[in-house]
Amino acid sequence: MVQVSMTVNGKAVSAHVEPRTLLVQFIREHLRLTGTHVGCDTSQCGACVVHIDGKAVKSCTTLAASCEGAQITTIEGLAHGGKLHPMQQAFQDNHGLQCGYCTPGMIMTAVDMVNRKGHQLDEATIRHELEGNICRCTGYHNIVKSVAQGAREMGGAK
Amino acid sequence: MHNFEYAAPASVADAVAALAKPDAKVLAGGQTLLPTMKQRLAAPTQLVDLRKVAGLAGISREGDAVVIGAMTRHADVAASPLVHDAIKGLGALAGLIGDPAVRHRGTLGGSLANNDPAADYPAAVLALGATIVTNKREIVADDYFKGLFETVLGEDEIITKVKFPIPEKSAYEKFRNPASRYAMVGVFVAKSKTGVRVAVTGAGSSGVFRQKEMEAALAANFAADAIKGVKIAAANMISDLHGDADYRAHLVGVVARRAVEASA
Ligand SMILES: Cc1cc2nc3c(=O)[nH]c(=O)nc-3n(C[C@H](O)[C@H](O)[C@H](O)COP(=O)(O)OP(=O)(O)OC[C@H]3O[C@@H](n4cnc5c(N)ncnc54)[C@H](O)[C@@H]3O)c2cc1C
Ligand code: FES
Ligand code: FES
């Protein structure tokens, strides 16, 4: 067993876990934050994307033990005071989800994208940046629209 | 995934000591090793995580080379102005690996130790004539790759950094498998004072290789037309559900010409 301590959505957490515990298992099963999803076993679908120290990563392909001391943000950490994060709101406004399974990973990837690429994102950039996130429902069209709106609104534009 | 013991040593020496346990393995970004362990294709009994080892990550210019630490993430290479200014093809290559999340974790050292026949970095290392530095020795690129997923690295050998000589011009062109984003064919072209080197990944049935006929033709005339006549034999090409050997052989020519045209 290994002792892990990290900050998840601003809260200090620590636990004794098996070394093989994946970050996503730690988040879902130990912390009971089940917004982060597991959609594949092959590191390809992106449903499990969270931020480690501000960067999007696949939590199914990271050991919890490797996140000792890290700052983690999950989908549960985006909304504040009952108000959705602008990227969450954009997905709602644009019908950017159907079943919603891929959505937490899409939104975490989108927020990371804006942090790196800014608030004016063209369609080609958004599609390229979403390569690691698979959606079986929407056909991506409304996801791309959502990300573009969310990016603008994260910059304060309406 | 089978269970294992986990260590996160703070120095290369301690990491090497931890690797002495039977079936121990280094963990870098985990973007290849963890999926492999999840599928039980690998079951190390001890993982030695390099994340705390000092001095393994970073990018610097040393004389006429760019030196990149083994634990440097693909995203950091892709975002480095130093790399883009000095070796344009290398910066571009790093930005084409996998997807953003993979690039945030995956490392140069992990990619080279793994030597997947469809991985991107091996093409840059071979075409640029880079030197791989380990805790034990320095290995020139031409001696390093030994076939599919095989290198000359020993069991307890850790890559610490890679020295990339700065060429006059370089480019990497990648024809991606649209599903996996690995290279169906990737060609790295580097032109320097000592000549031209062309390395091909994704296509060869024994991994990355140099295309010496193209190198000779380009040394005489560095233009896409100069290699139009070079025939690529299908005999040593990968054939799989994504493309047969003839198709890959054809792609090598097309992608190589694009790389020459894009060289800067
Ligand atoms: C969805 C997905 C898409 C991908 N697409 C691409 C792609 O398009 N192109 C591409 O090139 N790659 C791709 N990859 C692979 C990715 O680049 C990996 O990051 C890389 O191959 C391995 O690096 P790592 O740091 O994650 O190593 P790990 O997975 O941690 O380790 C890989 C192997 O290298 C050994 N190792 C690691 N570091 C060292 C070291 N310093 N010294 C000695 N041995 C070491 C480990 O013991 C292990 O055997 C993809 C991966 C995924 C999950
Ligand atoms: S669950 Fe992590 S990539 Fe699919
Ligand atoms: S909304 Fe169903 S998988 Fe994307």
Side-chain angles (χ1 to χ4, degrees), chain A residues 2 18-20 22 41-43 52 55-58 60-63 65-66 68 112 116 128-129 131-132, chain B residues 1-4 6 27 29-31 34-35 38-39 47 49 51 76 98-102 104-105 176 181:
Chain A
V2 288
E18 283 188 336
R20 65 175 162 182
L22 298 167
D41 213 13
T42 49
S43 310
I52 302 181
K55 289 177 181 161
V57 302
K58 293 174 178 175
C60 74
T61 314
T62 307
L63 295 179
S66 296
E68 172 69 30
D112 170 77
R116 284 181 295 110
H128 177 64
E129 288 282 325
E131 274 170 348
Chain B
M1 194 186 316
H2 290 290
N3 222 343
F4 51 83
Y6 174 86
L27 174 69
Q31 301 303 290
L34 294 175
K38 281 163 69 174
Q39 292 178 54
L47 283 192
D49 193 337
R51 72 191 168 90
D76 294 327
D99 56 57
V102 168
H104 280 147
R105 295 297 289 175
R176 305 208 286 181
R181 293 175 300 284

Side-chain angles (χ1 to χ4, degrees), chain B residues 111-249:
Chain B
S111 179
L112 294 178
N114 192 51
N115 191 22
D116 187 309
D120 298 301
Y121 270 129
V125 165
L126 195 57
L128 291 164
T131 300
I132 289 145
V133 182
T134 75
N135 58 315
K136 295 188 170 160
R137 54 185 167 153
E138 301 207 345
I139 309 164
V140 296
D142 286 304
D143 295 340
Y144 176 79
F145 301 103
K146 284 286 164 219
L148 299 183
F149 300 100
E150 294 275 347
T151 70
V152 296
L153 288 181
E155 294 271 305
D156 59 347
E157 196 163 9
I158 295 175
I159 302 174
T160 55
K161 60 186 177 187
V162 181
K163 299 196 255 187
F164 294 95
I166 297 172
E168 288 167 2
K169 281 182 171 188
S170 68
Y172 180 63
E173 279 292 317
K174 178 178 183 179
F175 190 95
R176 305 208 286 181
N177 175 324
S180 78
R181 293 175 300 284
Y182 274 94
M184 290 273 293
V185 168
V187 178
F188 200 105
V189 174
K191 179 179 186 299
S192 62
K193 284 192 189 65
T194 51
V196 177
R197 288 169 66 117
V198 177
V200 180
T201 189
S205 51
S206 23
V208 66
F209 65 91
R210 281 173 67 186
Q211 221 306 331
K212 295 200 180 168
E213 263 179 271
M214 286 185 178
E215 292 180 358
L218 290 169
N221 173 20
F222 194 78
D225 277 346
I227 53 173
K228 246 193 153 144
V230 176
K231 286 265 172 298
I232 307 290
N236 298 320
M237 296 287 141
I238 295 174
S239 237
D240 59 20
L241 77 163
H242 307 301
D244 63 16
D246 284 330
Y247 180 61
R248 277 198 168 80

